[in-house]
Amino acid sequence: MVDEYTRQALASMPKCELHLHIEGTLEPQLALTLAERNGVALPWTNIDELKAQYEFEDLQSFLNLYYALMKTLKTEEDFKDLMLAYLTRANANGVRHAEIFFDPQVHVCTNGLGFNTVLDGLLEGMAIGRERFGITGGLILSIVRDMDIDSANMILDLAQPRKAEILGIGLDSAEVGHPPARFVDQFARARRFGWHCVAHAGEEGPAAYIRDALDLLHAERIDHGIHIQDDTELLERVARDGVPLTCCPLSNLRLQVVHDMREHPIPRFLDEGVMCTINSDDPAYFGGYVAANYTALVSIGMSMETLAALAGNSIDASFAPEARKTQLHAELATWRTRHGL
Ligand code: ADE
Ligand code: ZN
């Protein structure tokens, strides 16, 4: 059991969130409200029926529900509301800067929405969040790796005129059988846009996908990266080169990537000198926002000192301008003093 003082201290600790899918913040009640508002028929008609769907055996079983509920998002206002709901919770979790994934291939190519509808709504929500809470950040356009490559190219065509409003490119969805090598051209194009590059790798897929994300896609951070534990040489390289991993402990537990929090490799990664960060991935699905992910590590014996260092890593691993990083480190230092660290 984690005491209330520790829980509150971690919720107020200044931090960056670097691995968060905005669609993964769609809470079941909001999905039902949007379904009603937009006339979308879901297979689940009440909250209890819907909540009974949140037992996952692997990544795919989660993605099935995640994509089903995404159909309830229809209008610019829906995307603005979703973003603002997340940033309100993020603020209560001590998030000061957030770099946020979105999956436009699904909204546009599968669900028939306009690219600008999605982007405008999300950016509006972020602008309000910045004004209301002082949370900075940006959007990372994530390529859905199990959709056809034409849809990825089409989305990049649509994004090109608005490239200055997007921070980077990512790679997500069902990993095994969809290796980084397939996306070399799309990531090269994104680099020409001036975007940062990150990729999910080694969540369910092998360590070789992590190496390919680094060597072929020039990923600057690896999202998850947990299977790097199977490749000592790669682990040493990532530690030496300071490549950040965006770890998501509650996600890994709920998707059965690890079967017990005590088996999570974050403590080993830290011992080996890897720059880990802590994030929530899809908090509406995995039982907690980012502070709960830090709290989960207290429950396996991690010290407050280490957790504060992890928050420091989240600042260093972000794509925030240097002046903003300096400001966030100062906020973290103030928090440390207040908590006797
Ligand atoms: N899309 C949303 N969450 C994801 C995850 N954990 N892994 C891969 N793709 C995702
Ligand atoms: Zn993810």
Side-chain angles (χ1 to χ4, degrees):
M1 267 297 285
V2 178
D3 64 72
E4 199 46 38
Y5 171 83
T6 303
R7 209 178 283 282
Q8 285 188 14
L10 290 172
S12 68
M13 183 171 68
K15 57 181 78 66
C16 299
E17 177 136 71
L18 307 178
H19 184 159
L20 180 283
H21 303 262
I22 195 62
E23 299 88 351
T25 69
L26 179 54
E27 291 285 342
Q29 187 54 62
L30 181 57
L32 290 179
T33 303
L34 291 176
E36 171 112 24
R37 178 158 115 186
N38 293 326
V40 177
L42 289 175
W44 316 283
T45 49
N46 66 58
I47 191 76
D48 294 329
E49 252 177 65
L50 177 54
K51 281 188 172 169
Q53 308 307 311
Y54 285 65
E55 297 289 332
F56 308 117
E57 58 211 36
D58 55 15
L59 176 58
Q60 188 60 56
S61 63
F62 151 70
L63 290 171
N64 294 342
L65 181 64
Y66 171 83
Y67 291 128
L69 295 186
M70 272 166 71
K71 291 188 188 304
T72 65
L73 293 160
K74 288 282 193 196
T75 67
E76 189 175 317
E77 192 184 7
D78 296 342
F79 287 93
K80 181 192 78 180
D81 290 351
L82 182 67
M83 179 59 80
L84 209 46
Y86 163 64
L87 290 173
T88 303
R89 287 176 185 266
N91 181 54
N93 277 249
V95 174
R96 307 293 301 124
H97 176 93
E99 296 174 0
I100 301 171
F101 295 121
F102 70 124
D103 285 333
Q105 269 162 285
V106 180
H107 302 301
V108 175
C109 306
T110 309
N111 297 341
L113 309 185
F115 179 79
N116 289 332
T117 302
V118 178
L119 186 59
D120 287 340
L122 294 175
L123 290 173
E124 248 176 276
M126 289 188 81
I128 298 170
R130 186 175 185 144
E131 203 166 289
R132 198 172 287 176
F133 308 118
I135 300 176
T136 54
L139 290 173
I140 300 177
L141 185 157
S142 211
I143 299 294
V144 177
R145 66 204 305 160
D146 52 343
M147 287 182 71
D148 66 73
I149 208 75
D150 290 346
S151 65
N153 290 330
M154 181 184 136
I155 287 298
L156 291 176
D157 291 343
L158 292 168
Q160 185 159 5
R162 305 198 59 179
K163 63 187 181 188
E165 297 167 271
I166 296 169
L167 185 62
I169 188 170
L171 182 64
D172 69 4
S173 201
E175 186 182 3
V176 175
H178 303 282
R182 287 183 53 201
F183 304 96
V184 168
D185 292 346
Q186 290 69 32
F187 272 66
R189 188 173 175 197
R191 283 197 304 284
R192 290 195 297 275
F193 287 178
W195 288 359
H196 288 286
C197 296
V198 300
H200 283 56
E203 180 185 18
E204 284 189 341
Y209 284 17
I210 301 173
R211 182 180 288 105
D212 286 352
L214 296 172
D215 292 339
L216 305 179
L217 305 185
H218 303 279
E220 296 161 75
R221 294 193 299 245
I222 296 294
D223 297 311
H224 292 296
I226 195 165
H227 283 124
I228 203 169
Q229 62 186 329
D230 305 328
D231 185 331
T232 308
E233 194 191 314
L234 187 61
L235 183 66
E236 284 169 8
R237 170 183 165 187
V238 160
R240 186 184 64 241
D241 294 349
V243 178
L245 301 186
T246 63
C247 300
C248 307
L250 290 176
S251 164
N252 297 150
L253 193 64
R254 292 294 288 270
L255 299 187
Q256 307 203 35
V257 173
V258 299
H259 299 285
D260 188 311
M261 197 55 84
R262 285 168 297 193
E263 286 169 21
H264 204 289
I266 289 174
R268 176 180 163 215
F269 291 168
L270 291 175
D271 284 347
E272 303 278 347
V274 174
M275 194 202 241
C276 295
T277 65
I278 304 303
N279 307 274
S280 69
D281 205 3
D282 301 285
Y285 292 84
F286 302 147
Y289 284 73
V290 69
N293 279 270
Y294 280 81
T295 305
L297 298 174
V298 176
S299 66
I300 60 162
M302 196 170 277
S303 70
M304 290 299 269
E305 186 56 51
T306 303
L307 291 160
L310 285 164
N313 285 352
S314 76
I315 299 169
D316 291 330
S318 78
F319 300 132
E322 284 308 315
R324 178 67 174 148
K325 289 188 184 186
T326 303
Q327 221 173 42
L328 295 176
H329 275 299
E331 287 185 26
L332 182 58
T334 304
W335 177 91
R336 290 176 70 110
T337 307
R338 197 178 324 126
H339 292 85
L341 290 169

